Amino acid sequence: MDFDDYLRRVPKVELHCHFEGTVRPQTFAELAAKHGITLSGDDPARLYDYDSIYEFLKIFAQVSSTLIDREDFARTAFESIEDGVKLGNLVYREMFFNPTLHTKRGVPYATVVDGLIDGCRRAESELGVRCRLIADVYRQDSANEAADMVREVLEHRRDEVIGLGMDGAEAPDPPEKFIEAYRLAKQGGLRLTAHACEDAPAKNVTTCLDVLGCERLDHGYHVLGDPEVVARVRDDAIVFTTCPTATAICYFTDDLTEHPIVTMAEQGLRLTLNSDDPPMFATDIGTEFAKMVPAAGWDRERVREICLTAVDAAWEIGR
Ligand code: ADE
Ligand code: ZN
C-alpha cells in the first residue's frame, strides 16, 4: 500500500466535524426541493463556493434551513457518517451540531436531536461506526440565547449528546461572552470544548481553559502568537482538533506546507486532524490526512501518534 492509500485508510477518530457542514450538495438541493425552498443558484456543486468564514456561515445557515423534519436530520446524519467511512475509514466521531440554527426557525429541539440520533443509530448498526453529539453555542447568538440553548439540551437529556462546544465567527464574539452557558453545561455534566484561536489571539485559548473550563480545544492556530501560552498548553498536554483545508481556504494560504499546524506540531503541541465541514470545502477526512501529512513532512510514526491522540482525547470511546 502506498503512503497516500495508507493515509486514506488508516482508521480515524474524528473530533471536529459540524453536522450541518457535512450535508452533501445533492442532498441539500433535494431537501430544498422537498420543502419548496429556493436556492441562490442552480448548480448544487457551486453553492459551496466562498473564501471567508462570513460567506461560508451564510451558506451554512442556508443548508440548515432545508433541514425540517426528523427524517431530514436522520438522513443527513447517516450520510455524513457514511461519507466519513467510505472516504476515510472513519471509526468513531464526536460531531457538532448547532441547536439554535434550527430552533430559531421553529424546528423543535427534540426533532433535531432525535433525528440526529436516528441517523447515528442507523450508522452504528449498518456501518459499525459510533457517533456522539456535541451541541454548539453559535457565537453570534446572545449570551442569553446560548444559556437557554444549554438549558434545553439538559431538559431533553439524551445519552448521545455528551458535550458543549462553540462555533461561528470568532473575532467579533470572544469566549467570555458565554460564561453562563458553559457554567450550566458543566453543572449538567456535559464535557466542554470550544473553537479558539481560529481567528483571534492566544488569549482566547487561555480564556477557554481557565474561565470556561474547556478540556480540549478546536483549531488553536493563533496560540503561536504567544510563546508563554504555547509553553502552557504544551505542559498541560492540551489537545487541539485542527482542520487543514477549511482554515487554509478561510484564513491562510492554499499551500499546506505553510499552515500553522506544521509549526504547532514542531512546537510539541498535541493535535488531531479533522475535516470540519467536508463537502462544503470539497474535502473529506481521508483527503485531510492525504494532503496535510505529506505537506508537513510527517512519517508513519507521526501519523500513528496523531490517530492515537484522537483516541485519547475522545470522550466516549469504549464506553
Ligand atoms: N461552523 C462550521 N464550521 C466552522 C468553523 N470552522 N469555524 C467556525 N464556525 C464554524
Ligand atoms: Zn469547526
mmCIF file of all heavy atoms in Angstrom, residues 170-194:
data_model
loop_
_atom_site.group_PDB
_atom_site.id
_atom_site.type_symbol
_atom_site.label_atom_id
_atom_site.label_comp_id
_atom_site.label_asym_id
_atom_site.label_seq_id
_atom_site.Cartn_x
_atom_site.Cartn_y
_atom_site.Cartn_z
ATOM 1 N N GLU A 170 -15.249 33.900 15.167
ATOM 2 C CA GLU A 170 -14.627 34.085 16.487
ATOM 3 C C GLU A 170 -14.264 35.542 16.792
ATOM 4 O O GLU A 170 -14.413 35.996 17.929
ATOM 5 C CB GLU A 170 -13.358 33.221 16.568
ATOM 6 C CG GLU A 170 -12.676 33.293 17.925
ATOM 7 C CD GLU A 170 -11.395 32.471 17.967
ATOM 8 O OE1 GLU A 170 -10.942 31.999 16.896
ATOM 9 O OE2 GLU A 170 -10.848 32.308 19.076
ATOM 10 N N ALA A 171 -13.767 36.257 15.748
ATOM 11 C CA ALA A 171 -13.194 37.586 16.009
ATOM 12 C C ALA A 171 -14.181 38.539 16.702
ATOM 13 O O ALA A 171 -13.814 39.196 17.678
ATOM 14 C CB ALA A 171 -12.660 38.183 14.709
ATOM 15 N N PRO A 172 -15.447 38.623 16.247
ATOM 16 C CA PRO A 172 -16.334 39.610 16.880
ATOM 17 C C PRO A 172 -16.921 39.165 18.225
ATOM 18 O O PRO A 172 -17.446 40.013 18.947
ATOM 19 C CB PRO A 172 -17.464 39.789 15.858
ATOM 20 C CG PRO A 172 -17.416 38.607 14.958
ATOM 21 C CD PRO A 172 -16.053 38.000 15.058
ATOM 22 N N ASP A 173 -16.875 37.882 18.540
ATOM 23 C CA ASP A 173 -17.569 37.397 19.737
ATOM 24 C C ASP A 173 -16.664 36.499 20.585
ATOM 25 O O ASP A 173 -16.599 35.288 20.373
ATOM 26 C CB ASP A 173 -18.848 36.653 19.333
ATOM 27 C CG ASP A 173 -19.903 37.612 18.807
ATOM 28 O OD1 ASP A 173 -20.560 38.278 19.627
ATOM 29 O OD2 ASP A 173 -20.029 37.742 17.572
ATOM 30 N N PRO A 174 -15.985 37.085 21.569
ATOM 31 C CA PRO A 174 -14.991 36.347 22.357
ATOM 32 C C PRO A 174 -15.641 35.336 23.321
ATOM 33 O O PRO A 174 -16.820 35.460 23.652
ATOM 34 C CB PRO A 174 -14.277 37.448 23.133
ATOM 35 C CG PRO A 174 -15.257 38.560 23.235
ATOM 36 C CD PRO A 174 -16.097 38.493 21.995
ATOM 37 N N PRO A 175 -14.872 34.355 23.770
ATOM 38 C CA PRO A 175 -15.446 33.254 24.561
ATOM 39 C C PRO A 175 -16.064 33.679 25.888
ATOM 40 O O PRO A 175 -17.044 33.062 26.337
ATOM 41 C CB PRO A 175 -14.261 32.303 24.791
ATOM 42 C CG PRO A 175 -13.029 33.060 24.420
ATOM 43 C CD PRO A 175 -13.435 34.136 23.478
ATOM 44 N N GLU A 176 -15.543 34.743 26.507
ATOM 45 C CA GLU A 176 -16.069 35.126 27.834
ATOM 46 C C GLU A 176 -17.535 35.542 27.784
ATOM 47 O O GLU A 176 -18.221 35.561 28.798
ATOM 48 C CB GLU A 176 -15.205 36.228 28.477
ATOM 49 C CG GLU A 176 -15.016 37.490 27.666
ATOM 50 C CD GLU A 176 -13.789 37.429 26.738
ATOM 51 O OE1 GLU A 176 -13.383 36.306 26.339
ATOM 52 O OE2 GLU A 176 -13.262 38.502 26.375
ATOM 53 N N LYS A 177 -18.017 35.841 26.563
ATOM 54 C CA LYS A 177 -19.442 36.165 26.403
ATOM 55 C C LYS A 177 -20.329 35.005 26.896
ATOM 56 O O LYS A 177 -21.466 35.215 27.305
ATOM 57 C CB LYS A 177 -19.690 36.441 24.907
ATOM 58 C CG LYS A 177 -21.094 36.779 24.509
ATOM 59 C CD LYS A 177 -21.140 37.113 23.004
ATOM 60 C CE LYS A 177 -22.558 37.115 22.465
ATOM 61 N NZ LYS A 177 -22.608 37.208 20.989
ATOM 62 N N PHE A 178 -19.797 33.791 26.861
ATOM 63 C CA PHE A 178 -20.654 32.621 27.090
ATOM 64 C C PHE A 178 -20.351 31.879 28.400
ATOM 65 O O PHE A 178 -20.593 30.677 28.514
ATOM 66 C CB PHE A 178 -20.565 31.683 25.887
ATOM 67 C CG PHE A 178 -21.033 32.347 24.622
ATOM 68 C CD1 PHE A 178 -20.132 32.761 23.650
ATOM 69 C CD2 PHE A 178 -22.384 32.633 24.441
ATOM 70 C CE1 PHE A 178 -20.563 33.407 22.504
ATOM 71 C CE2 PHE A 178 -22.827 33.290 23.297
ATOM 72 C CZ PHE A 178 -21.913 33.676 22.326
ATOM 73 N N ILE A 179 -19.881 32.639 29.397
ATOM 74 C CA ILE A 179 -19.558 32.040 30.706
ATOM 75 C C ILE A 179 -20.763 31.274 31.269
ATOM 76 O O ILE A 179 -20.631 30.150 31.752
ATOM 77 C CB ILE A 179 -19.122 33.138 31.710
ATOM 78 C CG1 ILE A 179 -17.751 33.678 31.318
ATOM 79 C CG2 ILE A 179 -19.092 32.609 33.139
ATOM 80 C CD1 ILE A 179 -17.269 34.811 32.190
ATOM 81 N N GLU A 180 -21.928 31.883 31.212
ATOM 82 C CA GLU A 180 -23.113 31.273 31.817
ATOM 83 C C GLU A 180 -23.490 29.964 31.105
ATOM 84 O O GLU A 180 -23.810 28.956 31.753
ATOM 85 C CB GLU A 180 -24.277 32.276 31.798
ATOM 86 C CG GLU A 180 -25.597 31.769 32.353
ATOM 87 C CD GLU A 180 -25.556 31.412 33.847
ATOM 88 O OE1 GLU A 180 -24.511 31.597 34.504
ATOM 89 O OE2 GLU A 180 -26.588 30.908 34.332
ATOM 90 N N ALA A 181 -23.437 29.962 29.785
ATOM 91 C CA ALA A 181 -23.759 28.733 29.043
ATOM 92 C C ALA A 181 -22.806 27.611 29.458
ATOM 93 O O ALA A 181 -23.234 26.461 29.685
ATOM 94 C CB ALA A 181 -23.653 28.992 27.534
ATOM 95 N N TYR A 182 -21.526 27.933 29.592
ATOM 96 C CA TYR A 182 -20.539 26.902 29.958
ATOM 97 C C TYR A 182 -20.716 26.467 31.415
ATOM 98 O O TYR A 182 -20.555 25.295 31.741
ATOM 99 C CB TYR A 182 -19.103 27.395 29.651
ATOM 100 C CG TYR A 182 -18.749 27.095 28.215
ATOM 101 C CD1 TYR A 182 -19.300 27.852 27.181
ATOM 102 C CD2 TYR A 182 -17.940 26.020 27.875
ATOM 103 C CE1 TYR A 182 -19.033 27.549 25.852
ATOM 104 C CE2 TYR A 182 -17.661 25.707 26.547
ATOM 105 C CZ TYR A 182 -18.208 26.474 25.545
ATOM 106 O OH TYR A 182 -17.963 26.152 24.233
ATOM 107 N N ARG A 183 -21.063 27.411 32.265
ATOM 108 C CA ARG A 183 -21.288 27.053 33.681
ATOM 109 C C ARG A 183 -22.453 26.062 33.789
ATOM 110 O O ARG A 183 -22.355 25.035 34.461
ATOM 111 C CB ARG A 183 -21.581 28.333 34.485
ATOM 112 C CG ARG A 183 -21.583 28.133 35.984
ATOM 113 C CD ARG A 183 -22.117 29.365 36.723
ATOM 114 N NE ARG A 183 -23.531 29.619 36.466
ATOM 115 C CZ ARG A 183 -24.530 28.921 36.975
ATOM 116 N NH1 ARG A 183 -24.302 27.910 37.778
ATOM 117 N NH2 ARG A 183 -25.796 29.211 36.675
ATOM 118 N N LEU A 184 -23.529 26.357 33.087
ATOM 119 C CA LEU A 184 -24.697 25.462 33.122
ATOM 120 C C LEU A 184 -24.358 24.085 32.557
ATOM 121 O O LEU A 184 -24.786 23.058 33.089
ATOM 122 C CB LEU A 184 -25.846 26.064 32.303
ATOM 123 C CG LEU A 184 -26.527 27.303 32.894
ATOM 124 C CD1 LEU A 184 -27.444 27.939 31.835
ATOM 125 C CD2 LEU A 184 -27.327 26.926 34.140
ATOM 126 N N ALA A 185 -23.605 24.087 31.465
ATOM 127 C CA ALA A 185 -23.261 22.807 30.826
ATOM 128 C C ALA A 185 -22.405 21.955 31.752
ATOM 129 O O ALA A 185 -22.629 20.747 31.901
ATOM 130 C CB ALA A 185 -22.520 23.065 29.513
ATOM 131 N N LYS A 186 -21.448 22.591 32.400
ATOM 132 C CA LYS A 186 -20.568 21.849 33.314
ATOM 133 C C LYS A 186 -21.378 21.289 34.478
ATOM 134 O O LYS A 186 -21.242 20.111 34.842
ATOM 135 C CB LYS A 186 -19.458 22.769 33.822
ATOM 136 C CG LYS A 186 -18.424 22.033 34.623
ATOM 137 C CD LYS A 186 -17.204 22.873 34.866
ATOM 138 C CE LYS A 186 -16.131 22.014 35.516
ATOM 139 N NZ LYS A 186 -14.897 22.724 35.716
ATOM 140 N N GLN A 187 -22.229 22.147 35.016
ATOM 141 C CA GLN A 187 -23.085 21.724 36.125
ATOM 142 C C GLN A 187 -23.981 20.545 35.714
ATOM 143 O O GLN A 187 -24.266 19.662 36.505
ATOM 144 C CB GLN A 187 -23.963 22.919 36.514
ATOM 145 C CG GLN A 187 -24.674 22.832 37.826
ATOM 146 C CD GLN A 187 -25.506 24.112 38.015
ATOM 147 O OE1 GLN A 187 -26.324 24.481 37.168
ATOM 148 N NE2 GLN A 187 -25.283 24.787 39.116
ATOM 149 N N GLY A 188 -24.393 20.551 34.444
ATOM 150 C CA GLY A 188 -25.264 19.488 33.939
ATOM 151 C C GLY A 188 -24.507 18.244 33.489
ATOM 152 O O GLY A 188 -25.111 17.313 32.961
ATOM 153 N N GLY A 189 -23.200 18.249 33.643
ATOM 154 C CA GLY A 189 -22.431 17.031 33.346
ATOM 155 C C GLY A 189 -21.988 16.897 31.896
ATOM 156 O O GLY A 189 -21.578 15.807 31.478
ATOM 157 N N LEU A 190 -22.061 17.975 31.112
ATOM 158 C CA LEU A 190 -21.566 17.907 29.727
ATOM 159 C C LEU A 190 -20.050 18.133 29.708
ATOM 160 O O LEU A 190 -19.527 18.896 30.529
ATOM 161 C CB LEU A 190 -22.256 18.967 28.858
ATOM 162 C CG LEU A 190 -23.762 18.785 28.637
ATOM 163 C CD1 LEU A 190 -24.347 19.988 27.898
ATOM 164 C CD2 LEU A 190 -24.058 17.504 27.869
ATOM 165 N N ARG A 191 -19.377 17.494 28.767
ATOM 166 C CA ARG A 191 -17.952 17.752 28.546
ATOM 167 C C ARG A 191 -17.821 19.060 27.762
ATOM 168 O O ARG A 191 -18.773 19.459 27.072
ATOM 169 C CB ARG A 191 -17.312 16.598 27.758
ATOM 170 C CG ARG A 191 -17.613 15.216 28.325
ATOM 171 C CD ARG A 191 -17.035 14.996 29.691
ATOM 172 N NE ARG A 191 -15.606 15.077 29.744
ATOM 173 C CZ ARG A 191 -14.759 14.045 29.667
ATOM 174 N NH1 ARG A 191 -15.226 12.821 29.502
ATOM 175 N NH2 ARG A 191 -13.438 14.218 29.763
ATOM 176 N N LEU A 192 -16.648 19.715 27.818
ATOM 177 C CA LEU A 192 -16.542 21.069 27.274
ATOM 178 C C LEU A 192 -15.392 21.238 26.277
ATOM 179 O O LEU A 192 -14.250 20.867 26.567
ATOM 180 C CB LEU A 192 -16.335 22.072 28.421
ATOM 181 C CG LEU A 192 -17.395 22.066 29.531
ATOM 182 C CD1 LEU A 192 -17.017 23.054 30.626
ATOM 183 C CD2 LEU A 192 -18.783 22.387 28.984
ATOM 184 N N THR A 193 -15.724 21.847 25.137
ATOM 185 C CA THR A 193 -14.703 22.253 24.182
ATOM 186 C C THR A 193 -15.145 23.587 23.579
ATOM 187 O O THR A 193 -16.241 24.077 23.879
ATOM 188 C CB THR A 193 -14.476 21.179 23.096
ATOM 189 O OG1 THR A 193 -13.395 21.580 22.264
ATOM 190 C CG2 THR A 193 -15.716 20.946 22.241
ATOM 191 N N ALA A 194 -14.322 24.208 22.736
ATOM 192 C CA ALA A 194 -14.707 25.456 22.057
ATOM 193 C C ALA A 194 -13.755 25.697 20.895
ATOM 194 O O ALA A 194 -12.579 25.336 20.969
ATOM 195 C CB ALA A 194 -14.641 26.644 23.016
#
